Amino acid sequence: MAEPSLAVRRKAHSRSVCKRSRAPVQPSAVCSPVARKRPSFRSEGPPAETPCNNDSEEDMFGDYDSFCGNDSLLADVDDIECKYLRDKNTDIKSAGEILLGNHQLGIHQKKQDNFSTSEDMVVLKAGKEDALQMNENDPGGSNQELTDSLLDDLPSSQLLYFEKMDELSSGSRISPVKERNKCVNSSLDKIRSPSSCPDAEHGNRRTDFSSDSKCDLFKTESLKDHLKSAMTGNAKAQTLQVSKTKQLKEAVLSKEICVARKTIESSSVDIGPFYGLPSKVKDLFRQFRGIETLYEWQHDCLMLESLQQRKNLIYSLPTSGGKTLVAEIIILQELLCRQKDVLMILPYVAIVQEKIRGLSSFGVELGFLVEEYAGSKGRFPPIKRRIKKSLYIATIEKGHALVNSLVETGRIDDLGLVVVDELHMLGEGSRGATLEITLAKILYTSKSTQIIGMSATLNNVGDLQKFLQAEYYTNNFRPVELMEYVKIRDTIYTVDSKTENGFTFSRVLNFKYSSNLEKTDPDHIIALVTEVIPKYSCLIFCPTKKNCENVASMVCKYLKKEFRAHREKEKRDLVKNLKHIGNGSVCPILKQTIPFGVAYHHSGLTNDERKSIEEAYSAGVLCLLACTATLAAGVNLPARRVILRAPYVANDFLKKNQYKQMIGRAGRAGIDSAGESILIVQEKDKHLVRDLINSPLENCYSNLLLELTKGMQSLLLSLVGLKIAVTPEEVNNFMCSTLLGVQQQLLSKDKSLSEIIKDGLENLIEKGLLKGRISEKDHNSKCTLTITPLGKATYKGSVDLAYCNLLYRELKKGLEGLVLESNLHLLYLTTPYDTTFSCNPDWMIYLRQFNQLSAAEQKVVDIVGVPESFIIKKASGQAIRKNVDSAVVKRLYLTFILYTLLKETNIWSVSEKFNVSRGHVQNLLNSAASFASCVLHFCEELEEFWVYKALLTELTKQLTYCVKTELIPLMEVAGVLEARAKQLYNAGYKTLAHLASANPETLVKTIEHLSQRQAKQIVSSAKMLLSEKAEALQEEVEELLKVPADAQGPTDQLP
């Protein structure tokens, strides 16, 4: 039985303690008490004695001093043996079986009772009783697998006895191996090994010895003599020098896995020790996460009938309610109990990497693989593992590509579970369209794959339930109370939806402002933050990146000097670390603000900077972050107080979903005892804010129509390419099962869904991506559509349909004169098209970069279509008469940035050369790495582009890591960025194997600014990656050595 009262309590934080309690859940009646006796196989005889709870060195004969001390046992043996030897038609072995089954069962019972005194053995006993009941009802039949497992667990003396019998019977008509198996099946019918699986089928097996063989088997010694020698041998047998406690723990773990697998597969409500998982999982949550018990809602959710029946589920709770833990337990059930692969879809690369770090340690301990599918990482199709199962953690785009590859190879049923975090993203632009396409394909192609979706901000759940064919669970639970406030001028109001205007007076700010300070800080931000920092943490959400920097700088100017003394040494170390990351450069604003415990956080930071600031904030070194709205949906950075600088994101008024995400960061469990949010409002926005507070969450609508090239057309192309639907009629059937199909009455008022499909298919045929004809009259035409090579390359490369023909033409043109003196030409081909919209070239920098190119590289500029004269005239401000494609000009400028970056591998120096923010350079690099991966998969599907395959493979790796070659193996590890890789390399950890075998405590002492938790995560991630690579090589070896099914041909018969 599960221990359902285990609900998740985090260890108390050093700053505050958050307690939660709940009434204990009553254990199921199916679960037997620890002291319950095992039922006897026979009704006669005295009742079993109460077992003694001895320690690990208990007497294996229970209350007997020795076997000789029980005369009645040996007397019974003699009587029964004589009686049955006189009867020629009775199997003598059966007599031994009766006595062994009766008397040794008593011994076995005492051992089991002592063994089951462990607190986690309640379910184990229930499992044994279930197995016994099965044994009584089973009509019989031999189970070879059980025989083998029993034989493995026999004492050495008994194994010798059976081998001796085999030798004696070697002359008989029955083969020794068969005879041995029959002997084991007969004599050990009711004896169980503690480590054997309780779901194995046990029957009342019959032996079928001939009389000659019976005589041969038993003429050498009587059963009484054998009992004596066997029991003496057992008593004197040498034991391995292994801790008894360790053996018991291993037995418990093995037993629990078997119980869990059986109960999960049978969809039973009573699902074992820890929700169908070994109790080791509970220990790992305590060890790695500080989680002691589950919240009551988490227990209720895990025990839902719909989950037991493997129905799809959507569940929604406020931010910080503990949704992720429920998903992780369900994931572990799928990997360990049902032995199926799992896909987890997360919205952003940073969250994928955070989750990889968090779950790798579980994978190492529990024996499954954790694979990253984000950016340019991921293998399509994934390696088919024979032993270990895989947890794929993916972004929305990579998750879609992964599902496509599984459908294409006929392996979609290997995917037992798909978990989607932030399910509300279905309604957010092109990424929402991609997520909808992914889920629709899974629903349509696999009836065995379960889908779990979770979100804190869902409204029109009915539509989503219909789309996902899912049950719904919701709860308003928050572990820490959240108080919402609005500030107008110097007055703070409590948000109260029950009142007429939505606000009630709370207090007036008590902070003395000078006239100078009033002008500098009219919104009283300093008054609001000094109420909580430095003792507690605070987040200020700002509308723009520039505003974040200004707020951080302004706050520090007016903070007292006492703030500098708080954790002064750690703050100095942080500045030093940032300087090391920037190769001697550090942002002047951060250099000013960090000594006060203040920093900004937005996309203008490099990956290394952002990670260092996040770690410092989590550790309490920084107490105030001025950040943009992206942090609310990103990594987990909670705060005691959240301040919304204005009800805007950039120039757009705040949406209810965004507001809920931001304020949800306040008062996280186990960190703060309370949480509060304050929205700063100007008089002019008061009525808008009142509407915002009282309005419901936004509905989630399909984006397939709004995002044509990434939505509807992309879906239609891949449906035909994957042969999911190859006629207009089949396409129509599929579309009815999408979210768009559910909402078609709302979203497609001008045209019917079949008309939209017809238009989309015709457009794809015109572009040369599909072949076939669409009937003008009949939208449900049964004519078969086929995909062209270009169409296949487009969907397999996940290339936007708006650019697929342009990409093809440029790659084709490149074949005519690909310049390989440097990688400039290849870089241009892999510079993302959609990054040009925000690019505004500095023409003097453009000209300077052009002049630094070699003659061959300047030829590349001419080939792509940017004449030298054009750049010169632009730089000198002259009029341009010749028409030049501005998109090509901008794209080449971005290529220059990437080209310089790959040569120098220093984001700071490149950002200064091109006068752009270092964050912009970082984002361009990430986008280029991802697009290079797409172009590589595009080229793999077109034979004419064979030359690009090897070239793009190497370039993709360079763009992904952008470091010196020797650091790449270390940067493959989740959580290791360039600065950390350099530290590790210089400390002697130069390979993945070095890192995987490192001691975390030694790492902490050797590497600066590395915490114990980070060291453990890095080592676990390295072990996981090494294991994954070793498994892949092993799979390859086994595949090479595999004997083909048709290997027995005519040639094999030749002498």
Side-chain angles (χ1 to χ4, degrees):
M1 169 64 193
E3 294 184 20
S5 58
L6 285 161
V8 177
R9 180 168 302 154
R10 302 176 186 277
K11 291 178 181 175
H13 195 272
S14 58
R15 291 173 292 171
S16 59
V17 180
C18 174
K19 297 184 179 180
R20 29 182 163 151
S21 62
R22 51 174 293 257
V25 180
Q26 295 299 321
S28 170
V30 178
C31 176
S32 57
V34 175
R36 183 178 296 175
K37 297 173 185 175
R38 183 173 174 174
S40 174
F41 281 75
R42 302 193 317 179
S43 58
E44 301 87 28
E49 294 181 25
T50 305
C52 301
N53 290 335
N54 300 331
D55 59 20
S56 60
E57 297 182 359
E58 74 272 18
D59 180 6
M60 72 176 189
F61 294 113
D63 295 332
Y64 297 114
D65 293 331
S66 72
F67 66 86
C68 294
N70 185 10
D71 294 333
S72 62
L73 169 63
L74 299 181
D76 283 348
V77 170
D78 278 337
D79 291 343
I80 298 294
E81 184 178 11
C82 291
K83 175 185 175 183
Y84 281 88
L85 281 173
R86 286 194 298 270
D87 188 351
K88 291 182 180 181
N89 296 323
T90 304
D91 192 342
I92 296 175
K93 190 65 179 172
S94 298
E97 180 186 7
I98 293 169
L99 287 172
L100 284 170
N102 186 27
H103 290 280
Q104 287 202 10
L105 179 61
I107 296 169
H108 185 68
Q109 168 66 23
K110 295 179 185 296
K111 293 173 70 177
Q112 288 293 339
D113 283 345
N114 287 325
F115 182 69
S116 61
T117 56
S118 161
E119 65 175 9
D120 289 317
M121 286 302 298
V122 178
V123 178
L124 181 59
K125 296 220 28 143
K128 286 191 287 185
E129 290 179 7
D130 291 344
L132 290 174
Q133 190 172 357
M134 288 171 60
N135 192 32
E136 291 171 4
N137 298 332
D138 195 342
S142 175
N143 188 324
Q144 185 64 39
E145 292 183 10
L146 176 63
T147 300
D148 293 338
S149 68
L150 287 172
L151 203 60
D152 291 340
D153 290 325
L154 285 175
S156 56
S157 57
Q158 292 188 28
L159 286 174
L160 288 170
Y161 175 70
F162 285 122
E163 287 172 8
K164 189 174 181 180
M165 289 197 296
D166 286 344
E167 292 170 9
L168 290 170
S169 61
S170 59
S172 70
R173 287 168 292 172
I174 302 173
S175 69
V177 174
K178 185 175 179 182
E179 193 71 67
R180 172 179 174 174
N181 288 343
K182 287 189 177 183
C183 289
V184 175
N185 288 341
S186 175
S187 64
L188 300 177
D189 188 27
K190 297 185 176 80
I191 298 175
R192 283 205 174 51
S193 162
S195 62
S196 65
C197 185
D199 64 345
E201 292 183 6
H202 296 268
N204 297 321
R205 297 171 180 81
R206 296 186 297 270
T207 54
D208 189 22
F209 298 126
S210 66
S211 57
D212 292 337
S213 63
K214 280 188 283 182
C215 189
D216 288 338
L217 282 170
F218 294 102
K219 66 185 179 182
T220 55
E221 58 178 327
S222 70
L223 187 57
K224 173 181 173 182
D225 292 335
H226 169 58
L227 269 177
K228 283 185 178 181
S229 61
M231 294 171 79
T232 304
N234 289 348
K236 294 179 179 180
Q238 292 291 321
T239 57
L240 293 172
Q241 299 301 311
V242 180
S243 162
K244 190 74 174 282
T245 304
K246 184 177 179 183
Q247 288 178 327
L248 291 177
K249 283 184 177 178
E250 289 176 354
V252 170
L253 179 60
S254 174
K255 193 85 168 183
E256 288 177 349
I257 288 177
C258 291
V259 171
R261 187 173 298 157
K262 172 192 170 187
T263 52
I264 287 290
E265 286 175 353
S266 64
S267 298
S268 170
V269 176
D270 181 17
I271 56 174
F274 183 66
Y275 301 99
L277 293 164
S279 55
K280 182 178 181 181
V281 174
K282 176 184 64 178
D283 298 334
L284 292 176
F285 275 117
R286 184 184 299 119
Q287 178 185 342
F288 297 141
R289 305 280 180 80
I291 292 173
E292 298 286 349
T293 52
L294 268 71
Y295 297 128
E296 189 166 0
W297 83 262
Q298 290 171 324
H299 168 73
D300 293 342
C301 187
L302 287 167
M303 300 300 287
L304 287 173
E305 192 68 26
S306 54
L307 276 184
Q308 312 310 316
Q309 296 172 5
R310 286 187 56 75
K311 291 182 180 177
N312 297 341
L313 177 69
I314 300 169
Y315 64 100
S316 176
L317 281 97
T319 303
S320 85
K323 296 184 295 294
T324 304
L325 180 65
V326 170
E328 288 175 350
I329 291 174
I330 297 171
I331 285 170
L332 293 176
Q333 287 174 347
E334 196 69 31
L335 290 165
L336 301 180
C337 302
R338 296 191 185 95
Q339 291 290 299
K340 289 278 192 176
D341 296 329
V342 176
L343 169 62
M344 188 176 198
I345 299 177
L346 301 169
Y348 303 110
V349 174
I351 305 177
V352 168
Q353 292 171 343
E354 184 182 40
K355 190 58 67 178
I356 291 280
R357 293 194 296 272
L359 289 177
S360 288
S361 47
F362 283 86
V364 170
E365 292 291 332
L366 297 171
F368 61 86
L369 300 174
V370 181
E371 302 184 39
E372 180 180 349
Y373 280 76
S376 61
K377 294 183 179 179
R379 190 192 298 249
F380 304 103
I383 297 173
K384 187 175 176 62
R385 314 286 183 182
R386 297 189 185 184
I387 303 171
K388 291 186 177 180
K389 295 303 168 185
S390 292
L391 168 58
Y392 310 114
I393 304 181
T395 56
I396 291 171
E397 293 76 14
K398 288 293 180 179
H400 179 220
L402 177 65
V403 168
N404 279 348
S405 68
L406 291 174
V407 171
E408 185 178 33
T409 53
R411 290 167 49 195
I412 190 64
D413 286 330
D414 291 349
L415 206 58
L417 174 68
V418 176
V419 174
V420 182
D421 195 8
E422 310 294 355
L423 186 64
H424 63 268
M425 289 200 73
L426 277 167
E428 296 186 12
S430 61
R431 307 194 77 218
T434 304
L435 181 57
E436 180 182 346
I437 291 168
T438 305
L439 295 176
K441 286 176 181 173
I442 294 167
L443 287 164
Y444 196 83
T445 57
S446 175
K447 301 306 177 188
S448 61
T449 304
Q450 186 181 20
I451 296 176
I452 306 288
M454 53 182 168
S455 173
T457 54
L458 288 177
N459 192 30
N460 56 331
V461 179
D463 287 352
L464 301 182
Q465 278 186 267
K466 195 171 179 183
F467 164 46
L468 295 177
Q469 302 157 32
E471 302 288 315
Y472 179 55
Y473 176 87
T474 187
N475 197 303
N476 292 322
F477 172 81
R478 267 188 69 93
V480 176
E481 185 183 8
L482 172 63
M483 296 297 295
E484 296 179 46
Y485 299 100
V486 168
K487 188 190 83 66
I488 303 172
R489 291 192 295 272
D490 63 347
T491 306
I492 293 180
Y493 299 90
T494 303
V495 173
D496 187 355
S497 56
K498 296 176 184 177
T499 61
E500 189 176 343
N501 65 356
F503 309 137
T504 56
F505 173 82
S506 176
R507 63 189 173 96
V508 176
L509 276 176
N510 183 22
F511 189 88
K512 293 180 180 179
Y513 268 77
S514 65
S515 58
N516 186 35
L517 182 56
E518 188 75 43
K519 291 176 183 177
T520 308
D521 181 24
D523 293 325
H524 309 101
I525 291 173
I526 293 171
L528 293 173
V529 300
T530 51
E531 288 179 346
V532 289
I533 67 169
K535 187 177 181 181
Y536 300 108
S537 57
C538 182
L539 293 175
I540 304 177
F541 284 103
C542 304
T544 65
K545 289 185 283 189
K546 189 63 180 172
N547 194 227
C548 291
E549 297 173 18
N550 292 340
V551 166
S553 184
M554 182 269 292
V555 168
C556 291
K557 284 179 183 176
Y558 294 96
L559 286 179
K560 295 177 181 179
K561 291 184 179 179
E562 289 78 33
F563 282 88
R564 298 178 69 101
H566 181 73
R567 303 184 74 164
E568 189 175 3
K569 181 183 180 300
E570 286 135 301
K571 289 186 284 196
R572 279 202 307 267
D573 288 343
L574 176 58
V575 174
K576 183 181 174 183
N577 187 37
L578 290 172
K579 193 173 183 179
H580 173 70
I581 287 169
N583 292 315
S585 301
V586 64
C587 171
I589 296 174
L590 290 175
K591 192 174 182 180
Q592 172 206 348
T593 62
I594 286 175
F596 290 92
V598 179
Y600 65 84
H601 183 288
H602 57 59
S603 60
L605 297 168
T606 66
N607 289 344
D608 282 294
E609 286 176 316
R610 194 156 51 238
K611 191 164 188 295
S612 294
I613 287 171
E614 288 167 359
E615 289 171 354
Y617 178 80
S618 297
V621 176
L622 296 175
C623 55
L624 174 64
L625 288 186
C627 52
T628 52
T630 52
L631 184 140
V635 292
N636 182 15
L637 294 178
R640 172 65 172 267
R641 176 176 288 180
V642 168
I643 300 169
L644 279 68
R645 172 75 176 74
Y648 290 91
V649 174
N651 296 319
D652 300 323
F653 193 78
L654 201 61
K655 294 178 182 176
K656 185 62 175 278
N657 287 351
Q658 293 170 324
Y659 172 72
K660 284 291 186 183
Q661 287 274 6
M662 291 179 191
I663 68 171
R665 292 294 175 189
R668 301 302 288 249
I671 296 175
D672 291 308
S673 57
E676 53 191 20
S677 68
I678 301 174
L679 171 58
I680 298 174
V681 181
Q682 307 301 324
E683 281 288 346
K684 64 181 179 69
D685 294 326
K686 196 159 67 171
H687 67 287
L688 292 173
V689 169
R690 187 177 289 112
D691 293 341
L692 171 72
I693 298 297
N694 295 321
S695 65
L697 294 164
E698 286 81 15
N699 285 335
C700 186
Y701 293 117
S702 171
N703 277 268
L704 289 182
L705 294 182
L706 297 176
E707 301 287 339
L708 270 180
T709 57
K710 290 186 177 180
M712 176 63 82
Q713 290 185 10
S714 174
L715 172 57
L716 295 176
L717 179 67
S718 60
L719 286 180
V720 176
L722 294 168
K723 296 183 174 61
I724 295 173
V726 293
T727 67
E729 183 181 18
E730 290 174 349
V731 172
N732 262 313
N733 291 337
F734 179 92
M735 292 303 300
C736 289
S737 64
T738 62
L739 182 59
L740 174 62
V742 172
Q743 298 175 333
Q744 58 181 300
Q745 300 300 324
L746 291 170
L747 303 179
S748 54
K749 294 177 181 177
D750 299 334
K751 289 184 177 180
S752 67
L753 187 57
S754 57
E755 288 175 326
I756 294 169
I757 294 168
K758 176 178 172 291
D759 291 344
L761 292 172
E762 286 176 344
N763 189 280
L764 292 173
I765 291 169
E766 285 175 18
K767 286 184 177 180
L769 303 176
L770 290 181
K771 288 190 293 186
R773 285 188 178 182
I774 308 297
S775 170
E776 290 293 331
K777 296 179 181 179
D778 185 8
H779 296 156
N780 289 327
S781 167
K782 293 187 179 181
C783 69
T784 302
L785 298 164
T786 56
I787 196 164
T788 64
L790 176 60
K792 187 175 183 182
T794 300
Y795 91 78
K796 291 197 75 172
S798 300
V799 176
D800 189 337
L801 271 64
Y803 306 116
C804 62
N805 283 295
L806 176 59
L807 176 63
Y808 177 81
R809 289 196 300 270
E810 290 191 331
L811 289 169
K812 188 80 172 172
K813 186 179 179 182
L815 290 178
E816 298 170 8
L818 189 63
V819 178
L820 294 177
E821 183 180 281
S822 71
N823 56 15
L824 180 66
H825 201 167
L826 278 174
L827 272 174
Y828 174 78
L829 294 173
T830 55
T831 301
Y833 293 102
D834 55 6
T835 55
T836 59
F837 299 115
S838 59
C839 177
N840 294 302
D842 183 316
W843 296 107
M844 289 305 296
I845 295 174
Y846 209 138
L847 181 60
R848 185 163 62 245
Q849 291 299 315
F850 176 82
N851 290 332
Q852 290 175 2
L853 299 176
S854 66
E857 290 170 339
Q858 288 183 355
K859 185 182 175 185
V860 173
V861 177
D862 191 53
I863 289 172
V864 301
V866 182
E868 180 182 0
S869 59
F870 174 83
I871 301 172
I872 293 171
K873 286 180 180 179
K874 273 287 188 182
S876 60
Q878 298 178 35
I880 307 293
R881 293 180 183 176
K882 189 176 180 181
N883 188 23
V884 178
D885 189 342
S886 63
V888 173
V889 173
K890 291 179 178 181
R891 193 164 172 235
L892 182 61
Y893 186 72
L894 296 174
T895 302
F896 283 165
I897 297 176
L898 290 169
Y899 181 56
T900 309
L901 186 58
L902 285 187
K903 283 199 296 185
E904 299 183 9
T905 68
N906 186 339
I907 289 176
W908 273 89
S909 64
V910 173
S911 67
E912 289 171 5
K913 274 186 181 179
F914 287 86
N915 195 26
V916 292
S917 73
R918 59 197 184 280
H920 180 77
V921 177
Q922 179 77 73
N923 294 334
L924 174 63
L925 179 65
N926 294 342
S927 298
S930 185
F931 186 63
S933 174
C934 293
V935 176
L936 172 60
H937 292 304
F938 181 90
C939 292
E940 284 173 344
E941 297 303 317
L942 296 169
E943 215 171 292
E944 59 195 296
F945 293 149
W946 63 271
V947 70
Y948 287 115
K949 294 177 189 175
L951 296 171
L952 289 174
T953 301
E954 187 58 34
L955 182 65
T956 302
K957 186 179 283 189
Q958 288 180 36
L959 288 168
T960 300
Y961 300 109
C962 193
V963 292
K964 293 178 180 177
T965 309
E966 63 265 22
L967 296 180
I968 289 178
L970 297 176
M971 287 190 67
E972 288 180 336
V973 178
V976 176
L977 299 176
E978 182 180 2
R980 186 73 77 208
K982 286 179 181 177
Q983 286 180 311
L984 291 167
Y985 189 86
N986 293 334
Y989 300 97
K990 300 188 176 183
T991 66
L992 191 59
H994 283 135
L995 205 50
S997 58
N999 184 332
E1001 292 181 4
T1002 308
L1003 274 183
V1004 172
K1005 293 175 184 176
T1006 311
I1007 307 299
E1008 288 185 345
H1009 318 300
L1010 185 68
S1011 69
Q1012 187 82 22
R1013 178 174 166 271
Q1014 291 162 358
K1016 286 180 179 178
Q1017 285 188 338
I1018 286 173
V1019 172
S1020 291
S1021 297
K1023 285 180 179 177
M1024 175 55 63
L1025 188 58
L1026 196 63
S1027 172
E1028 186 185 321
K1029 291 190 173 189
E1031 288 278 336
L1033 290 172
Q1034 185 62 38
E1035 298 285 348
E1036 194 174 336
V1037 168
E1038 289 181 10
E1039 192 62 35
L1040 286 171
L1041 297 177
K1042 187 179 177 182
V1043 179
D1046 57 352
Q1048 297 297 325
T1051 54
D1052 295 330
Q1053 306 302 321
L1054 295 174

